[in-house]
Amino acid sequence: MRVQALAPAAQARWVALANDALAQVSLRPAEVTAWWRLVSATAALPSGPRDEAVARLQQLPVSAALPAWLRLSALWCLTGDLQHLMQMTALAPQLPGTDRWMALSIVLWGAALSRCENRHAFRQVLVDGQISQLMDQLGRGLARPAATGAPPAAVHRVALYTPHLASGAHAGTAMTFNLQALLARQGIETQVFAGQELSIPDMRTYFAGGDHSTVGPAQSSSWPVRSAGDLKVSLADADFSLDARWRDMLALIGAYAPDLVLYVGFASPVVWPLHARWPVVGMSLHTLPPVAPVDVWLNADPEPDPSLAWPGIVAPEPVHFPHRFWPAEPAPGCSRETLGIGHDAVLCVSSGSRLSDEMTDSWTLGVTAVLDRHPKVHWLLIGVPEHRAARLATLHARARCMPFQDNFAGWLQLADLYLNPPRLGGGASVATAMSLGVPVLSLAGSDGGDKVGDHAVVTIAQYMNRFVEWIDHPDRRHAAGQAMKARFDEVLDLSTGRAASRLLQACQRAVRLYQIRQTAAESTRPLP
């Protein structure tokens, strides 16, 4: 860690700037640009003066809802205290607006992903942040598509709705097209619909710290298209408001007239009107049910935990479906020579767009301590944005950073070990490593830990002990890699006939559950 000591004159200037910015916020508490200046000036202060400035900000009197919201978002940015986000959620009903509420849910989701090491902690943050209530209120406000008759007994046409399509490396994007290919191979007509919900116009203006989504736009050239014939995709125009996009998506899905909707995502209000009109199968991005009403949840756990249901949302019927990923297809062009690493070195890889937030101090110090004791071990960090690469590259002399790589599998196949940080996510990269026979270290209770099954460890101490064991004993490392590849082939591989059969059974079950709830609704409807 580098600590920059400001010269007295420079420090005095920054303190004066922060004080001036606070004074301007007092005069213009509803103007976000004034808050941007305040947060920027305060964040530049050394720890002591910064703490004092934050204390003054906490005492700043605000009466209206918008200044109170902006102050809370400034405190969230400056302190990282999740309680400020929770208070913003409580304040949201006083500031109605779809884009604002969805922007808050994106920030809350991202904060939970980067802070939580297991699904229970992740869920608790989102429960405290009332994400299911936000989604429910927005979803109930959307118009239900017009009915076009009862669903048929068999499923011939499926609409896949996903909140956002990005690049092929984006987990939700890859999962959407993999499931589409699986259905198409069974002769089912499909069309993909995406509301681009993670792109919100002027999202920064809702937050004093300029929070924004880090998920990129659609990159169709990188999508893993595996089905023969024309691929039909309806992509919302992200320059429009979410209200306008959702109206368009619902109208398009209604015109398509599917027999069933397959929802691939985590939280989206669009599922409420879809569920009211059609049978819905849900594939969550995490090892939790979707934050949305679905008839059937494609659940990876053979014994799902009923306590994971979301408040206010009827729990779906879980169907065991551990299949999640197509086998990796690395392209040529990657080599250790490019990295300046010898073939006798032990190459470890970690990856992710949020690595700098997900790498806890204890885990990072543990990894670098192992590198100190093992001079042949190198550490490659893939997916690090350019503005964060310099800091992470200073972690160790044998640590190296790369930005996102289209040929991620090509670089990963060079590795001897994949080190999954202590985070909830990472399941897609863990599965990619497993399919290539690269052994994975991951904590249990997370998306990555669930993929490796019994190979997951429970504590950081166990993680580091196994790390050292696999460095010192290449035979054990190789055996672990082969065992994980076998697990991928047997459990996670989505390209098999077994996976296709289970998916079709889940669709038929959703149709039956839809018929049951429609019958129940008819029986309770008052007579004219």
Side-chain angles (χ1 to χ4, degrees), residues 456-515:
V457 295
V458 178
T459 67
I460 291 292
Q462 291 175 341
Y463 189 114
M464 296 304 163
N465 288 339
R466 185 167 296 175
F467 186 15
V468 172
E469 176 189 352
W470 283 353
I471 292 170
D472 293 340
H473 300 278
D475 55 333
R476 299 179 191 176
R477 184 172 73 228
H478 177 74
Q482 291 305 301
M484 291 186 197
K485 186 179 188 312
R487 175 175 169 80
F488 178 91
D489 295 341
E490 176 66 24
V491 178
L492 301 179
D493 191 348
L494 187 61
S495 67
T496 65
R498 180 175 61 255
S501 176
R502 285 182 174 177
L503 180 57
L504 294 180
Q505 290 171 14
C507 291
Q508 290 298 335
R509 181 58 183 162
V511 169
R512 179 59 185 147
L513 291 172
Y514 174 78
Q515 293 169 342

Side-chain angles (χ1 to χ4, degrees), residues 18-204:
N19 290 337
D20 179 60
L22 182 62
Q24 291 301 309
V25 160
S26 301
L27 295 172
R28 301 178 287 136
E31 294 185 20
V32 70
T33 54
W35 286 95
W36 286 347
R37 181 167 172 259
L38 173 61
V39 169
S40 177
T42 305
L45 294 172
S47 58
R50 182 170 62 246
D51 293 343
E52 295 172 4
V54 168
R56 289 194 296 273
L57 176 57
Q58 289 175 321
Q59 300 303 315
L60 180 71
V62 290
S63 54
L66 180 55
W69 168 286
L70 290 172
R71 183 180 66 173
L72 288 169
S73 67
L75 291 169
W76 152 248
C77 180
L78 292 168
T79 68
D81 187 341
L82 288 169
Q83 287 306 310
H84 298 305
L85 283 181
M86 309 306 168
Q87 293 174 51
M88 290 173 70
T89 302
L91 195 60
Q94 300 180 47
L95 293 166
T98 297
D99 285 8
R100 180 187 298 275
W101 286 17
M102 286 299 290
L104 176 60
S105 72
I106 291 170
V107 172
L108 183 65
W109 181 20
L113 277 173
S114 61
R115 300 295 186 84
C116 301
E117 299 180 8
N118 60 68
R119 71 173 65 88
H120 292 284
F122 173 78
R123 178 186 176 277
Q124 192 59 54
V125 168
L126 296 182
V127 168
D128 292 345
Q130 302 180 50
I131 193 169
S132 59
Q133 292 91 328
L134 283 174
M135 296 297 110
D136 181 71
Q137 189 161 343
L138 289 171
R140 291 181 185 277
L142 294 173
R144 171 179 170 173
T148 56
V155 175
H156 302 287
R157 175 182 293 185
V158 171
L160 293 92
Y161 182 79
T162 189
H164 198 94
L165 290 175
S167 75
H170 175 242
T173 301
M175 194 176 289
T176 297
F177 288 111
N178 287 342
L179 287 167
Q180 180 274 331
L182 194 62
L183 289 169
R185 289 184 177 188
Q186 307 310 305
I188 294 177
E189 182 183 339
T190 62
Q191 184 163 337
V192 175
F193 300 84
Q196 298 307 92
E197 297 178 17
L198 300 184
S199 294
I200 297 178
D202 304 319
M203 178 173 168
R204 295 175 185 268

Side-chain angles (χ1 to χ4, degrees), residues 234-527:
S234 293
L235 195 68
D237 186 338
D239 289 337
F240 284 83
S241 68
L242 283 172
D243 285 325
R245 283 181 254 167
W246 288 341
R247 284 195 301 269
D248 289 346
M249 285 292 106
L250 289 170
L252 289 170
I253 295 172
Y256 181 63
D259 301 322
L260 175 139
V261 173
L262 174 53
Y263 172 61
V264 186
F266 185 55
S268 173
V270 172
V271 186
W272 269 257
L274 295 177
H275 183 257
R277 174 62 191 85
W278 292 288
V280 179
V281 173
M283 170 66 92
S284 177
L285 299 185
H286 303 299
T287 52
L288 291 159
V291 188
V294 300
D295 294 293
V296 164
W297 167 35
L298 299 175
N299 173 43
D301 192 341
E303 298 180 0
D305 184 350
S307 69
L308 297 178
W310 298 100
I313 299 176
V314 176
E317 180 172 304
V319 170
H320 186 220
F321 190 85
H323 320 290
R324 290 292 189 275
F325 307 96
W326 226 264
E329 300 171 350
C334 305
S335 68
R336 290 193 171 206
E337 287 77 8
T338 304
L339 300 172
I341 296 174
H343 290 277
D344 61 339
V346 177
L347 176 59
C348 306
V349 171
S350 300
S351 65
S353 59
R354 294 181 297 270
L355 270 180
S356 58
D357 296 323
E358 295 168 334
M359 293 167 59
T360 62
D361 289 343
S362 60
W363 179 78
T364 304
L365 289 172
V367 172
T368 55
V370 172
L371 264 66
D372 285 338
R373 300 194 302 270
H374 296 81
K376 287 192 174 183
V377 177
H378 293 253
W379 191 16
L380 178 62
L381 306 169
I382 301 178
V384 180
E386 185 177 350
H387 66 281
R388 297 186 175 183
R391 184 178 69 82
L392 290 184
T394 62
L395 291 173
H396 197 277
R398 283 180 268 104
R400 176 170 177 169
C401 295
M402 272 187 175
F404 165 76
Q405 300 293 311
D406 287 329
N407 187 18
F408 172 65
W411 291 105
L412 189 51
Q413 71 176 346
L414 304 177
D416 298 292
L417 281 169
Y418 183 80
L419 307 180
N420 195 43
R423 58 186 176 186
L424 175 76
S429 52
V430 165
T432 302
M434 292 171 66
S435 74
L436 296 169
V438 176
V440 175
L441 276 168
S442 185
L443 290 173
S446 63
D447 292 354
D450 279 6
K451 304 299 178 290
V452 300
D454 292 341
H455 293 279
V457 295
V458 178
T459 67
I460 291 292
Q462 291 175 341
Y463 189 114
M464 296 304 163
N465 288 339
R466 185 167 296 175
F467 186 15
V468 172
E469 176 189 352
W470 283 353
I471 292 170
D472 293 340
H473 300 278
D475 55 333
R476 299 179 191 176
R477 184 172 73 228
H478 177 74
Q482 291 305 301
M484 291 186 197
K485 186 179 188 312
R487 175 175 169 80
F488 178 91
D489 295 341
E490 176 66 24
V491 178
L492 301 179
D493 191 348
L494 187 61
S495 67
T496 65
R498 180 175 61 255
S501 176
R502 285 182 174 177
L503 180 57
L504 294 180
Q505 290 171 14
C507 291
Q508 290 298 335
R509 181 58 183 162
V511 169
R512 179 59 185 147
L513 291 172
Y514 174 78
Q515 293 169 342
I516 291 171
R517 57 185 173 89
Q518 287 297 99
T519 301
E522 288 291 337
S523 66
T524 58
R525 186 172 299 165
L527 295 173

Side-chain angles (χ1 to χ4, degrees), residues 1-6 47:
M1 178 183 296
R2 290 184 176 181
V3 178
Q4 181 182 9
L6 294 178
S47 58

